[in-house]
Structure formats: structure tokens, C-alpha cells
Amino acid sequence: MKKIPVIIDCDPGCDDTIALLLAFANKVLDIKGITVSAGNVHINNTTENTRRLVGNFSSEINIARGCEKPLFKTIVTAPEVHGESGIGNVTLPETKKEIEKLNAVEYLAKTLKEATEKITIVITGPMTNIAVFLMTYPELKEKIEKFVIMGGSSIGGNVTPTAEFNIYVDAEAADIVFKSGVEIILCPLDVTMKAFIKDDELLKIKSIGSLASEVAFGAIDHALSFYKQTYGRDSVPMHDPCTIAYLLNPNIFEGKKAFVATELRGEFTYGETIIDYNDKLKRTKNVLVLNNINREAFVEMLYDSIKKI
Ligand code: RIB
Ligand code: CA
């Protein structure tokens, strides 16, 4: 099977952790590097979480630390969802894995300059690193195959009444990415809220009995406790893993091409994503928006993948 060269830009993060485990388990993904963003928690924590995840489960992958704040705003984090460390109460074993000396933007530039084929960039956190890269190295845009992004929503926000977290943290960066002209596959809350794991399915993952399943259970269970307390739910949406799942099997998703933009000036709507499913604005349909998923197939993919690590 032809390998898919990817770079993952993420802010681990409970669901980012599951996305990374899913990526590590499936060798069809040729992971050219992981660039770390600030979002769920401070850049120091997201970088350390990434270092330990890679060091324990896929030690050859390069890691580059990214921007510690959004382009213009102060950083907004979500420790109430992901815990102070960023992965709940999960304790990842120590590892000798080292972070690259290049920062995320320079690592992206070096990797894309040297690439012999286009690279897919997966984004599961605020888009600051990618926006700075696009502004600094516009000539390298042609080396990007596409963006696969978790972010946005047309069904209401999870940070404000209208804004989803990844966009809200740095809407200006998201605006630069949405206007980049690069092909975009978007996994908004429209689809990720349908990609949930139920209690019994989580216990099946725990029963695998490996370090990977222990880490996955701890990360998901922590997020589940937030959704139980906040929304009274007995299931937890797996936002970020949808991006990797799409690359592994796009057939378990449904979607629609649409014009997508980000609100930057609304007093109450800053960070809202306008997803024009019905083409009311007659603008170029710049994004394939995923809005449905075969949940059972998704959960089976997660279980089978974690079992392989
Ligand atoms: O809104 C969900 C997104 O925000 C996910 O990427 C989660 O990790 C948080 O970053
Ligand atoms: Ca994330």
C-alpha cells in the first residue's frame, strides 16, 4: 500500500493523544514529524506530553516545539477539560527522546523543502504554527498535499455559544489557513460529536492490557469525566482522532464541499466558523466539511489500532 507522508501539528491533549496513538499504530502513515502547538495546555506541557508519547511509542519521529501564544491574542487553555498536565492523570514513563533544535516553523520549512513528494499536514490544535509557516514560506505551500483539520462548528461552539476551541484560540491563524488555497478536509464538531466512545467500549480498550491501552484509557476516561460532569453524557467525543481516521479510511465519513470562513470581528461571535453548506454566499467552496461518520467502524478502528501498539 502506498504510504501517506504526513506531519502532525497538535496540542496533546487527551484526544490529541488518541490521534497520535492511532497514527503510530498504522504504518501506512509515514510521519515526517510532529510540530507542537499551545492550546489545551501551555506549550511546555504539550511539548513534554508529545516527547513522552513519541519516546514510549514511536521513538524515531522528530518533534519540534511551536509557538507559545496565538498571533495576536493572549493564550486560552483548557485544563478543565484535559487536566493541568494535558493528559489527565496519565503518567507516561520517562524517555530519553529529545526535541529538535529547530522550532516548529523552521522544521516545517526544512522538511517540506527536502520532501520529494507532497506532504499532508494534520492539524488538531490552534493553527498558529501553520499560519506563521504559510506567512514566512509562501513558496513552500506547493509542497503541501492538503490540510486535514479538527476545528470549527456549524452546530454551536464549545468555548463560546458559537466558537469551537481550536479556532477560538487563534481565529486569525485559522483565517490564514482557510484562505491559503491549499486543499482542506475539515472535521468540525458537526462530525466529531458523533465520533463518541461509550463506557463499555472504553472498558474494552482498557482490557487490552498494554501500556498504550492504559494511556488511551486514562486519556479518554479523563475527558469522559469532564463530559459527564459538564453535559451529563456517558460517552466522550473523539475530536482529533477523526483527522487520522479520515486518512486511514475516508469511506467511514460523509461530507460536503462548502465555503468556510472564520469570524474575526464579532463582539460575541469571534472564532465562529461560517460553514456555508447551502451555498448562500456563492463563494468558492474551499473546504470538504465532514459531517457524518460510521461510529461503529471508527471505534473498531481505534480498538484494533491501540491493540497493535
Ligand atoms: O474542540 C476540540 C478541540 O479542542 C480538540 O482538538 C481538543 O484537543 C481541543 O484542542
Ligand atoms: Ca487538540
Side-chain angles (χ1 to χ4, degrees), residues 69-284:
K69 66 176 292 296
L71 295 179
F72 303 103
K73 291 174 52 199
T74 54
I75 185 74
V76 170
T77 56
E80 72 282 1
V81 183
H82 299 270
E84 290 302 322
S85 74
I87 318 183
N89 301 317
V90 170
T91 303
L92 281 156
E94 180 47 85
T95 167
K96 292 188 181 348
K97 178 65 184 178
E98 293 189 0
I99 304 297
E100 293 294 300
K101 289 180 176 41
L102 290 177
N103 66 37
V105 172
E106 296 311 313
Y107 183 84
L108 283 161
K110 178 177 184 293
T111 307
L112 286 167
K113 271 179 199 156
E114 294 172 357
T116 55
E117 55 185 329
K118 290 189 174 187
I119 295 179
T120 293
I121 298 181
V122 175
I123 310 173
T124 66
M127 302 192 220
T128 314
N129 295 335
I130 308 304
V132 173
F133 168 73
L134 290 172
M135 289 189 288
T136 312
Y137 296 97
E139 73 283 4
L140 290 176
K141 198 162 53 172
E142 63 180 16
K143 298 295 285 294
I144 302 171
E145 174 67 31
K146 58 176 171 280
F147 290 126
V148 184
I149 301 168
M150 191 282 136
S153 173
S154 77
I155 58 171
N158 57 6
V159 183
T160 72
T162 59
E164 178 278 328
F165 180 81
N166 286 343
I167 309 299
Y168 180 76
V169 169
D170 196 342
E172 286 79 6
D175 185 53
I176 289 166
V177 173
F178 286 137
K179 291 176 177 172
S180 66
V182 174
E183 181 187 352
I184 297 173
I185 315 294
L186 186 68
C187 304
L189 297 181
D190 308 39
V191 69
T192 67
M193 290 304 286
K194 297 174 182 175
F196 57 82
I197 290 189
K198 296 188 278 192
D199 271 332
D200 59 322
E201 294 163 337
L202 180 53
L203 290 174
K204 191 172 170 226
I205 288 175
K206 184 179 185 179
S207 70
I208 295 170
S210 63
L211 175 61
S213 67
E214 183 186 325
V215 169
F217 173 79
I220 298 171
D221 193 49
H222 183 87
L224 177 58
S225 60
F226 168 78
Y227 277 89
K228 277 181 176 172
Q229 286 161 18
T230 310
Y231 303 108
R233 285 182 61 138
D234 62 358
S235 63
V236 53
M238 285 287 99
H239 305 294
D240 294 339
C242 285
T243 58
I244 304 297
Y246 175 80
L247 288 176
L248 296 175
N249 187 359
N251 298 323
I252 69 171
F253 292 90
E254 294 174 351
K256 187 175 184 182
K257 286 279 282 185
F259 169 69
V260 175
T262 310
E263 177 56 58
L264 303 179
R265 285 178 290 280
E267 182 183 354
F268 301 108
T269 56
Y270 172 85
E272 178 179 10
T273 41
I274 309 306
I275 303 179
D276 190 6
Y277 281 121
N278 298 314
D279 197 21
K280 294 292 186 188
L281 300 174
K282 301 296 181 220
R283 300 287 291 269
T284 303

